[in-house]
Amino acid sequence: MTDTTAADAGIASIAKPAAKPARPHFSSGPCAKPPGWSPEKLATESLGRSHRSKLGKNRLQYCIDLMRELLRLPETHRIGIVPGSDTGAFEMAMWTMLGARGVTTLAWESFGEGWVTDAVKQLKLEPTVIRADYGQLPDLGQVNWADDVLFTWNGTTSGVRVPDGDWIAADREGLSFADATSAVFAYDLPWDRIDVATFSWQKVLGGEGAHGVLILGPRAVERLESHVPAWPLPKVFRLVSKGALAEGVFKGETINTPSMLAVEDAIFALEWAKGLGGAEGLIARSDANAAALDAIVAERDWLGHLAADAGIRSKTSVCLTVEGADADFIKKFAGLLEKEGAAYDVAGYRDAPAGLRIWCGATVDTADIVALGPWLDWAYETAKAG
């Protein structure tokens, strides 16, 4: 018997698809857990123990070592686990390193705009701001690399990314600050062009929130040790002690108390990724998911990409346009999918143009993206009928 639903009494029934995604988790953060994850599979020996115990330090260092291995990060770059998710990590970098020279900020979505606000209203700097609308990328050729430059590698709320790292000057005088939270583990990042990178486990790894990861290249370390900011620094931002980098932060000696449960969850995800072949395996899964969603979009004239240019389109946080949709329509559309257990958290970001946002990172299974297509059709027709 065909399962049907009626939008209301006078409107023809619309058939529901026969099969649902096995894991309908398409949120862009926190994202789907790795396939096969369950809380029972997490190591728990570190729970209830001090993070400063030998065991706690060893687990934190192991987590850092796994991130370095999977990212193929050169030994010249440090990795620290810090508070406040990606936002905390990026603001830590801003507060401790900016002010030594001019600043250029790039903004084409809400988080980039957030860094503009921080630079202007909080740090009282006068940055050069280069903007583009949602779905577009600014002219990267306008960037003056005598400045420190702040940008999002992959705009989670707009579905727009930088095409590569070639636009970052190899002979730059300023530092490159990359908010890379939806990019790390999904793209092959050019670490020789990145001085500061930040991300959180809750994106491509499908880990838990609250903690951020701060990656510093040698030029960033030099800035930290040579520059004293003109503004006060909260304790959780302090990376320098007596004029030298606090190296312990990058060896598992976190500034404040971390959640060891979140750390163990991240370790699970990293070990899962290592079993896939590391970064290459994660990138391949994201690529396959994005390609499957591209095929769905190409087959429907009512569905489109907010980022029309495929060369700058995200393959993790994919933002879609829906013909004739406003915010109320999208709320109804997403609500129908959630009620059916077919897709969770697919409405676009609140500050973005009305549309859908489908996470295609590595923890999502391609089969679930494929299964989503017919449900998008059903929700679209049902929402229109209602």
Side-chain angles (χ1 to χ4, degrees), residues 60-74:
L60 286 159
Q61 182 65 65
Y62 178 54
C63 185
I64 290 171
D65 290 345
L66 282 173
M67 288 189 284
R68 180 179 300 280
E69 179 184 352
L70 267 64
L71 292 174
R72 303 183 295 269
L73 200 69

Side-chain angles (χ1 to χ4, degrees), residues 39-287:
E40 294 78 17
K41 294 181 180 180
L42 302 184
T44 57
E45 292 82 2
S46 67
L47 305 189
R49 295 290 308 274
S50 169
H51 62 294
R52 302 193 189 282
S53 68
K54 183 177 180 181
L55 173 61
K57 287 182 180 179
N58 284 346
R59 294 303 281 175
L60 286 159
Q61 182 65 65
Y62 178 54
C63 185
I64 290 171
D65 290 345
L66 282 173
M67 288 189 284
R68 180 179 300 280
E69 179 184 352
L70 267 64
L71 292 174
R72 303 183 295 269
L73 200 69
E75 291 298 326
T76 54
H77 287 58
R78 275 106 161 157
I79 306 176
I81 298 169
V82 300
S85 195
D86 175 67
T87 299
F90 202 81
E91 291 188 331
M92 176 183 287
M94 292 180 67
W95 259 250
T96 54
M97 284 178 260
L98 293 184
R101 56 174 59 240
V103 176
T104 292
T105 58
L106 304 179
W108 61 88
E109 48 93 53
S110 59
F111 287 101
E113 282 293 343
W115 310 140
V116 174
T117 298
D118 278 353
V120 174
K121 294 187 177 181
Q122 302 302 321
L123 298 180
K124 309 299 182 184
L125 299 170
E126 296 181 358
T128 298
V129 182
I130 306 175
R131 288 185 169 93
D133 292 334
Y134 277 83
Q136 304 294 320
L137 191 68
D139 179 2
L140 301 178
Q142 294 181 29
V143 174
N144 176 10
W145 283 103
D147 285 358
D148 293 330
V149 180
L150 283 60
F151 68 98
T152 50
W153 195 282
N154 184 102
T156 311
T157 66
S158 69
V160 173
R161 61 176 172 85
V162 295
D164 49 44
D166 292 348
W167 64 283
I168 303 173
D171 60 350
R172 61 195 176 279
E173 298 173 49
L175 300 179
S176 58
F177 290 71
D179 171 358
T181 197
S182 295
V184 173
F185 294 114
Y187 303 95
D188 187 11
L189 299 180
W191 294 110
D192 61 326
R193 301 294 177 99
I194 299 173
D195 299 306
V196 179
T198 64
F199 71 98
S200 73
W201 298 323
Q202 66 169 307
K203 297 295 186 180
V204 180
L205 290 175
E208 292 303 297
H211 299 299
V213 178
L214 175 66
I215 299 177
L216 302 179
R219 300 178 71 249
V221 173
E222 181 183 14
R223 172 70 63 80
L224 281 167
E225 295 182 334
S226 63
H227 169 63
V228 178
W231 40 78
L233 288 180
K235 180 180 179 181
V236 292
F237 281 6
R238 296 173 198 163
L239 295 170
V240 173
S241 177
K242 298 179 181 179
L245 186 71
E247 293 284 2
V249 174
F250 305 94
K251 297 177 181 178
E253 298 173 14
T254 54
I255 294 172
N256 69 334
T257 304
S259 163
M260 293 307 297
L261 184 58
V263 172
E264 295 296 352
D265 186 75
I267 288 173
F268 177 93
L270 289 161
E271 290 180 335
W272 165 77
K274 186 174 180 178
L276 296 174
E280 292 90 346
L282 295 175
I283 291 169
R285 284 180 63 92
S286 290
D287 286 348

